[in-house]
């Protein structure tokens, strides 16, 4: 930090000014440009005929223009393209900007090299669809796929635009536009080539500007002090604060008449700080939880002004807005009255319940006016010298808050209160200010995704806080604990599943299009279908038998089997690891087991089933490898992939963070399960039932696939089919789709084909197998779920 001190009439300014800065808005622009470039290349690759048609239509339109005008346009465009770089260089020399001149020449040369390299690459790629979309056939041969000179002059103009005036920028755009039109009129390049070259030139310039930074033209502390003095705020001392929210600049100012001010400076570049994170949150979460980023200074300033004016009528704890001052064309300074206050986290002592209660009182005063302030974290809530609370300056709040937005505010303050005074006191204080029904609504949104970044970081070290608050609510009130509300619009798993389903459908359709299914279906032996379905039913009976082995109480076979069928339905409509486990836990709870005992039984069941699956796979692979024909019915890439996954897992475990995760989520649950596992091993009946159920489960699936191959005239050995099933099941368990949809079909059909079954018959057999073991159980599971619920078994 540097200090500038002048004479008695000048304010003392403590500010740090960087010569060059990286602008977040440049990163936003770069991502948008790259997406546009991918869109252009994707359009050229997939719709090259359409691109050619567009070029032909534009060429015919140019032929309708008088030839004299076309020649004049070509001459003017060529002259403009030649003189523009020279004019840029002369302007920089005259204005004594040697560094900007060197940067402009370097960026222009870089753009030329990159575009020329891409043009050469496109000319020599084996796939020619994009090349043909970019080029035109002329009497002298094809045109170049890209225009390096156009990209270079565009990069040159963009690099120097930061210090150019508006008139100069307008003339530069006109010169580039004339060159582009003249190049197309003279059939020197296609329309797609010219557009792509311009986008590439801008992308190179923006990327270089973001990497190296641009000259800092933001108003510094001295200019801000002068602007405030002109508006009636004579500054005696101005100090830049070390930390400010969202990367914006904040200052503390002392006026000559003893007034203390807090300044927020909204710059053109800093408005975009955090835009990617905010944009991601606004897409993933509901509007009340995360707002879209403001990329306009005026919109951001107007919103904060409205919030400050609305809050001033209902609470003295919110710093009042005194003025908004324009400081140059690209910055607005918001001036707030400041009180000398200390953040709760810096008090040097624990907060008292009375102090936290006063914060709740101020918050509810705003809520009664439907104003939601947001940002109620321990570092932004403060106490002044008199012990009165000071709320954060309103930035992303709501003037007409919905019930959900208010509940989110209360949930955030609940978490902050628990952080400051403990969960029991936090709930006790909240009950003094909020009705019990409203507090229950706040608990329904008390989850990490709804809290601030600061609070989420604190929760990583205090993971039990949310559960402690909910438990205290249950202990102190008679209200039942609410289910957590869904606050996200799109979950990452949903996106991954959708993409995987699209890829799987594309692969499956590709395979279906390459075979004659009609002939295969006409020659199928449908007498095997009932046996396929019976084998599928056997898997659910086996799952019920296996589950019964892990509990001391005897489970009714029919209802336990129907529960496994219901789990098949819930595993389809939600993540299988969640839906199936939830149904089984609920069923065991209804049978009198505790939640911990039910979870432990299901965990042991899954562990034993997984281990038995792997052991059977290894044994059958060894038997198949030592058989007479030495056939390997599984493609070699499967084993390569599994080996690679094993190597990656071993490498990951070398990292301390991964080891800690493994200890928390794998080692500790296994260690907790050891007593029940030892009890299982010492009971011959239970052990036989557990291993027998796991074996019967695999037998059922193998039998279903084997009968499906017989239905389509497959003549594979039972050993080969078993190995195909076990390998395909292992691959399907890694797929993010419900039931391994797509991955299982691809793996099983490839395995059966490698074992010697015709491709068409193999795919048909796999589809029959999946219909019996995956699709039919879904509606049947829905029926079973409703039947069990009506009888209070779930």
């Amino acid at each position: 930090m540097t200090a500038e001190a002048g004479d008695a009439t000048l304010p003392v300014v403590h500010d740090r000014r960087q010569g060059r800065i990286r602008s977040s808005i440049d990163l936003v622009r770069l991502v948008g440009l790259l997406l546009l470039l991918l869109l252009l290349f994707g359009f050229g690759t997939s719709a090259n005929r359409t691109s050619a048609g567009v070029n032909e239509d534009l060429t015919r339109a140019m032929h309708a223009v008088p030839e004299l005008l076309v020649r004049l346009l070509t001459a003017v465009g060529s002259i403009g393209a030649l003189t523009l770089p020279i004019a840029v260089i002369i302007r920089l020399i005259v204005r004594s900007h040697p560094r900007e001149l060197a940067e402009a020449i370097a960026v222009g040369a870089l753009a030329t090299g990159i575009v020329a390299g891409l043009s050469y690459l496109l000319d020599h790629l084996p796939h020619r669809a994009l090349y043909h979309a970019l080029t035109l056939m002329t009497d002298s041969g094809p045109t170049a796929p890209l225009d390096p000179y156009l990209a270079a002059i565009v990069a040159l103009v963009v690099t120097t635009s930061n210090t150019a005036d508006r008139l100069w920028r307008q003339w530069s755009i006109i010169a580039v536009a004339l060159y582009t039109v003249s190049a197309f009129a003279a059939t020197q390049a296609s329309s797609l080539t010219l557009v792509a070259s311009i986008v590439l030139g801008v992308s190179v310039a923006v990327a270089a500007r973001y990497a190296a930074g641009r000259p800092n033209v933001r108003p510094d502390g001295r200019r801000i002090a002068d602007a405030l003095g002109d508006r009636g705020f004579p500054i005696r001392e101005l100090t830049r604060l070390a930390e400010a929210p969202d990367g914006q600049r904040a200052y503390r100012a002392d006026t000559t008449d003893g007034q203390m001010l807090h300044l927020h400076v909204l710059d053109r570049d800093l408005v975009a700080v955090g835009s990617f994170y905010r944009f991601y949150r606004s897409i993933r979460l509901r509007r009340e939880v995360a707002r879209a980023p403001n990329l306009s200074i005026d919109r951001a300033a107007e919103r904060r002004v409205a919030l400050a004016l609305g809050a001033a009528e209902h609470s003295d704890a919110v710093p009042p807005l005194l003025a908004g001052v324009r400081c140059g064309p690209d910055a607005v300074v918001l001036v707030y009255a400041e009180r000398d206050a200390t953040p709760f986290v810096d008090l040097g002592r624990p907060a008292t319940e009375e102090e936290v209660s006063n914060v709740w009182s101020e918050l509810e005063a705003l809520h009664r006016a439907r104003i939601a302030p947001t940002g109620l974290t321990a570092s932004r809530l403060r106490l002044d010298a008199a012990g009165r609370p000071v709320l954060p300056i309103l930035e992303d709040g709501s003037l007409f808050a919905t019930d959900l937005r208010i509940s989110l505010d209360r949930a955030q303050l609940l978490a902050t209160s628990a952080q400051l005074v403990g969960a029991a006191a936090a709930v006790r204080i909240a009950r003094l200010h909020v009705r019990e029904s409203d507090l229950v609504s706040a608990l329904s949104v008390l989850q990490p995704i709804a809290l601030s970044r600061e609070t989420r970081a604190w929760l990583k070290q205090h993971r039990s806080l949310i559960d402690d608050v909910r438990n205290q609510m249950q202990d102190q009130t008679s209200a039942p604990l609410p289910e957590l509300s869904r606050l996200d619009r799109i979950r990452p798993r949903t996106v991954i599943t959708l993409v995987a389903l699209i890829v799987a459908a594309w692969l499956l359709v590709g395979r279906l299009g390459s075979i004659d299914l009609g002939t295969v279906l006409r020659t199928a032996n449908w007498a095997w279908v009932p046996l396929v379905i019976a084998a599928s039913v056997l898997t659910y009976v086996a799952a019920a038998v296996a589950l019964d082995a892990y509990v001391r109480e005897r489970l009714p076979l029919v209802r336990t089997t129907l529960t496994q069928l219901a789990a098949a339905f819930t595993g389809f409509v939600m993540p299988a690891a969640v839906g199936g486990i939830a149904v089984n836990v609920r069923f065991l709870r209804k049978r009198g087991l505790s939640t911990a005992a039910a979870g432990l039984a299901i965990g042991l069941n899954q562990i034993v089933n997984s281990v038995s699956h792997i052991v059977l796979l290894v044994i059958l692979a060894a038997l198949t490898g030592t058989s007479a024909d030495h056939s390997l019915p599984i493609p070699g890439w499967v084993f390569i992939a599994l080996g690679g996954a094993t190597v990656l897992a071993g490498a990951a475990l070398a990292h301390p963070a991964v080891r800690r995760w493994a200890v928390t989520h794998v080692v500790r649950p296994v260690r907790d399960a050891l007593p029940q596992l030892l009890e299982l091993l010492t009971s011959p009946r239970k052990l036989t039932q557990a291993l027998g159920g796991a074996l019967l489960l695999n037998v059922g699936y193998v039998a279903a696939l084997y009968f499906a191959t017989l239905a389509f005239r497959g003549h594979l050995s039972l050993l080969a089919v078993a190995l195909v099933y076990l390998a395909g099941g292992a691959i399907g368990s890694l797929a993010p789709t419900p039931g391994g949809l797509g991955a299982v079909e691809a793996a099983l059909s490839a395995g059966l084909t490698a074992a010697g079954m015709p491709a068409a018959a193999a795919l048909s057999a796999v589809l029959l197998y999946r219909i019996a073991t995956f699709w039919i159980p879904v509606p049947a599971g829905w029926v079973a779920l409703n039947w069990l619920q009506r009888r209070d078994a779930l």
Side-chain angles (χ1 to χ4, degrees):
M1 179 178 292
T2 61
E4 298 177 16
D7 56 32
T9 62
L10 293 179
V12 177
V13 176
H14 304 276
D15 196 2
R16 56 185 185 278
R17 179 177 176 82
Q18 298 173 308
R20 303 181 68 84
I21 55 174
R22 287 183 177 175
S23 173
S24 297
I25 196 109
D26 281 337
L27 185 58
V28 175
R29 289 170 178 156
L30 180 60
V31 172
L33 288 166
L34 294 178
L35 290 176
L36 176 59
L37 192 64
L38 289 175
L39 184 62
L40 290 172
F41 284 168
F43 173 77
T45 303
S46 59
N48 53 354
R49 293 185 180 180
T50 303
S51 177
V54 170
N55 287 326
E56 292 175 1
D57 293 340
L58 291 175
T59 302
R60 282 195 295 269
M62 292 301 299
H63 287 326
V65 179
E67 185 177 356
L68 179 61
L69 183 59
V70 172
R71 289 185 177 180
L72 179 63
L73 182 65
T74 303
V76 172
S78 301
I79 294 172
L82 290 173
T83 57
L84 179 60
I86 299 173
V88 169
I89 293 173
I90 292 175
R91 182 180 71 87
L92 294 177
I93 293 174
V94 170
R95 295 193 175 187
S96 300
H97 292 313
R99 177 165 181 171
E100 190 174 356
L101 174 61
E103 289 175 354
I105 295 174
V107 172
L110 179 64
T112 302
I114 290 176
V115 176
L118 285 175
S119 186
Y120 176 84
L121 184 63
L122 289 170
D123 194 13
H124 291 80
L125 280 177
H127 302 287
R128 310 287 286 177
L130 181 57
Y131 174 82
H132 292 309
L134 290 169
T135 57
L136 292 175
M137 290 302 299
T138 63
D139 295 336
S140 57
T143 59
L146 297 170
D147 190 334
Y149 185 74
L150 176 60
I153 60 174
V154 168
L156 195 71
V157 169
V158 172
T159 302
T160 58
S161 63
N162 194 51
T163 57
D165 54 35
R166 180 174 298 179
L167 182 61
W168 178 265
R169 289 197 294 264
Q170 290 175 348
W171 279 110
S172 300
I173 292 172
I174 291 173
V176 172
L178 286 174
Y179 172 79
T180 303
V181 174
S182 65
F184 182 79
T187 64
Q188 296 175 357
S190 67
S191 57
L192 187 60
T193 293
L194 296 170
V195 174
S197 300
I198 292 174
V199 174
L200 278 168
V202 177
S203 300
V204 171
V206 172
R209 187 167 62 194
Y210 180 75
R214 64 165 69 181
N216 187 0
V217 294
R218 299 172 183 168
D220 58 6
R222 178 68 61 187
R223 287 182 59 190
I224 293 171
D226 293 342
L228 292 178
D230 294 339
R231 284 292 302 272
F233 297 98
I235 303 299
R236 178 177 60 83
E237 186 173 4
L238 184 71
T239 304
R240 182 170 179 176
L241 301 180
E243 296 181 2
D246 294 334
Q248 66 188 358
R249 283 191 293 162
Y251 293 84
R252 172 176 170 165
D254 297 317
T255 63
T256 56
D257 54 5
Q259 190 176 15
M260 187 187 303
L261 306 176
H262 187 93
L263 312 179
H264 278 186
V265 183
L266 303 181
D267 294 312
R268 179 187 62 184
D269 298 323
L270 288 180
V271 167
V273 169
S275 295
F276 288 118
Y277 178 73
R278 287 171 173 262
F279 184 66
Y280 161 75
R281 295 258 303 174
S282 67
I283 292 178
R284 183 185 173 191
L285 304 179
R286 294 171 62 174
R287 179 177 59 86
E288 292 88 349
V289 184
R291 295 184 177 276
N294 282 323
L295 298 181
S296 164
I297 297 175
D298 292 337
R299 286 183 60 186
E302 289 166 2
R303 178 177 184 81
R304 298 189 186 194
V305 169
L307 286 168
L309 295 178
E313 299 181 6
H314 304 282
S315 175
D316 295 331
V318 178
L321 178 71
L322 302 180
V325 179
R326 175 72 71 174
C327 188
D330 296 322
V332 171
V333 182
L334 299 180
V335 184
Y336 297 89
E338 178 66 298
R339 291 193 308 210
D340 191 9
T342 305
F344 273 91
V345 294
D346 296 331
L347 289 177
R349 59 171 176 82
T352 66
E353 293 189 24
E354 181 182 0
E355 292 166 345
V356 175
S357 180
N358 291 336
V359 175
W360 274 97
S361 179
E362 296 293 343
L363 176 66
E364 290 308 309
L366 293 174
H367 282 173
R368 285 191 290 273
R370 310 305 293 184
I371 298 174
T374 73
L376 304 171
T377 63
S379 65
R380 301 189 67 190
L381 293 173
R382 298 176 294 160
L383 285 178
D384 65 9
R388 296 173 301 177
V390 179
L391 298 183
I393 292 173
L394 304 189
E395 298 170 1
D396 289 327
S398 301
L399 267 177
F400 307 99
T402 62
D403 290 340
L404 175 57
R405 180 63 262 174
I406 290 175
S407 294
L408 289 165
D409 258 6
R410 290 170 176 155
Q412 175 63 59
L413 189 53
L414 259 177
T416 302
S417 301
Q419 178 182 350
L420 295 174
V421 295
V427 174
R428 187 165 55 249
I429 294 168
R431 291 179 61 208
L432 297 176
H433 300 277
V434 182
R435 293 179 303 178
E436 192 169 285
S437 59
D438 293 335
L439 197 55
V440 169
S441 299
L443 283 182
S444 69
V445 296
L446 182 58
Q447 44 192 296
I449 197 173
L451 303 177
S452 68
R453 266 179 154 176
E454 176 188 324
T455 306
R456 292 201 303 271
W458 191 84
L459 284 175
K460 290 181 179 179
Q461 306 298 325
H462 306 80
R463 298 181 182 274
S464 64
L465 181 137
I466 292 179
D467 291 335
D468 292 343
V469 171
R470 291 175 65 88
N471 292 335
Q472 286 296 324
M473 182 67 180
Q474 192 172 31
D475 293 341
Q476 297 183 29
T477 69
S478 58
L481 287 180
E483 296 290 335
L484 291 179
S485 300
R486 179 171 178 178
L487 301 177
D488 50 356
R489 295 170 174 166
I490 302 173
R491 296 179 178 178
R493 181 185 175 89
T494 303
V495 176
I496 295 172
T497 300
L498 181 61
V499 172
L501 284 173
I502 293 172
V503 173
W506 179 71
L507 293 173
L508 191 59
V509 170
R511 288 184 64 85
L512 289 172
S514 63
I515 61 179
D516 185 7
L517 278 180
T519 302
V520 176
L521 294 175
R522 285 193 299 270
T523 59
N525 185 357
W526 296 105
W528 291 101
V529 173
L531 291 177
V532 177
I533 296 175
S536 176
V537 173
L538 178 63
T539 62
Y540 294 96
V541 177
V545 171
L547 181 61
D548 182 58
Y550 300 95
V551 297
R552 295 176 181 177
E553 299 79 1
R554 291 297 298 270
L555 301 178
L557 181 62
V558 174
R559 290 198 175 189
T560 309
T561 302
L562 292 176
T563 301
Q564 307 316 304
L565 194 60
F569 167 73
T570 57
F572 178 77
V573 298
M574 64 179 64
V578 176
I581 291 175
V583 168
N584 278 296
V585 168
R586 181 71 173 171
F587 174 71
L588 294 179
R589 287 291 309 277
K590 287 290 185 179
R591 302 302 303 179
L593 275 73
S594 66
T595 302
L600 193 56
I602 294 168
L604 283 174
N605 187 20
Q606 290 185 330
I607 291 172
V608 172
N609 286 340
S610 300
V611 171
S612 64
H613 191 106
I614 296 172
V615 170
L616 287 173
L617 176 60
V618 173
I619 292 174
L620 290 181
L623 291 175
T624 304
T626 57
S627 62
D629 55 2
H630 298 283
S631 61
L632 185 64
I634 302 298
W637 62 266
V638 172
F639 292 97
I640 294 174
L642 292 175
T646 303
V647 172
L648 289 176
L653 288 174
H655 194 278
V658 177
R659 287 201 303 274
R660 286 194 296 268
W661 179 91
V663 169
T664 303
H665 294 84
V666 180
V667 177
R668 288 179 183 173
V670 171
R671 184 176 58 196
D672 295 339
L674 282 179
Q676 192 166 343
L677 183 60
L678 291 175
E679 182 180 353
L680 175 68
L681 294 175
T682 56
S683 173
R685 184 182 65 82
K686 289 289 188 180
L687 182 59
T688 302
Q689 190 177 349
L691 297 179
L695 181 61
L696 190 62
L697 183 69
N698 287 300
V699 167
Y701 281 119
V702 170
L705 183 58
Y706 181 68
F707 293 145
T709 61
L710 294 177
F712 291 94
R713 313 295 179 181
H715 299 287
L716 302 180
S717 67
L718 182 60
L719 186 66
V721 174
L723 183 55
V724 169
Y725 156 72
L726 292 169
I731 295 171
S733 65
L734 302 176
T737 55
L741 188 61
V744 171
E745 286 82 358
L748 293 181
S749 59
L752 293 178
T753 303
M757 194 172 178
L763 182 57
S764 302
V766 170
L767 292 178
L768 174 60
Y769 163 79
R770 290 290 278 172
I771 289 171
T773 59
F774 180 75
W775 291 108
I776 292 179
V778 170
W782 178 80
V783 174
L785 181 66
N786 284 273
W787 187 87
L788 291 168
Q789 287 177 335
R790 286 197 301 269
R791 283 156 180 78
D792 198 31
L794 281 182

